[in-house]
């Protein structure tokens, strides 16, 4: 039986690339709302990475039990795209709320950080939680009992990481001014 790993790895490369382009775009969009402070950037990054971890833990369990993990993977990617497509509208709502509350000048450093985290979670949370489940679902789809060295998983992880590197470079130096 021919391995599907190379074909799935292409999707994981694209997934990693898109994830880092999204992350760069979201960071820049929310910087316009929260400001360019370290605290504002940290809130966005914390929600992004925390959401990936949460999605990996929660959806990884679902992937283990999935009868058709590749279908789950595809559905997760569709969900990511749908949630990512509405983030500009959510950022606008977040801006109105944050500015309406007075930002850091009224909320203070701690209050502003809490509000930034909450608003970032609303804007980014659904997409990044779904992103976190994509690698476990894809890995489950290609795993084989005879692959004791986990070479199939390593291939997917490498492709996803390479895509993320390319996405970070494209998002930072090519796609956005």
């Amino acid at each position: 039986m021919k391995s599907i790993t190379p074909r799935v790895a292409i999707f994981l490369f694209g997934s990693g690339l898109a994830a880092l382009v999204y992350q760069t775009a979201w960071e820049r969009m929310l910087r316009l709302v929260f400001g360019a402070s370290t605290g504002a950037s940290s809130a966005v990054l914390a929600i992004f990475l925390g959401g990936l971890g949460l999605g990996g833990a929660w959806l990884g369990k679902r992937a283990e039990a999935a009868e058709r993990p590749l279908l789950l993977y595809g559905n997760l990617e569709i969900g990511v795209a749908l949630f990512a497509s509405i983030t500009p509208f959510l950022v606008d709502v977040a801006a109105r709320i944050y500015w309406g509350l007075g930002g850091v000048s009224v909320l203070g450093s701690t209050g502003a950080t809490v509000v930034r985290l909450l608003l970032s979670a609303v804007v980014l949370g659904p997409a990044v939680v779904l992103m976190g489940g994509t690698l476990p679902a894809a890995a489950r789809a290609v795993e084989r009992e005879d692959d004791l060295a986990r070479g199939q998983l390593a291939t997917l992880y490498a492709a996803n990481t390479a895509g993320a590197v390319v996405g970070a470079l494209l998002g930072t130096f090519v796609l956005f001014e």
Side-chain angles (χ1 to χ4, degrees), residues 95-108 112 115:
R96 292 174 195 271
I97 292 170
Y98 187 71
W99 296 334
L101 292 171
V104 73
S105 60
V106 172
L107 298 169
V115 171

Side-chain angles (χ1 to χ4, degrees), residues 7-30:
R7 287 176 282 170
V8 175
I10 291 168
F11 287 112
L12 264 290
F13 178 89
S15 178
L17 187 150
L20 267 289
V21 169
Y22 285 147
Q23 192 270 337
T24 303
W26 292 332
E27 172 72 30
R28 290 179 182 213
M29 291 167 69
L30 288 169

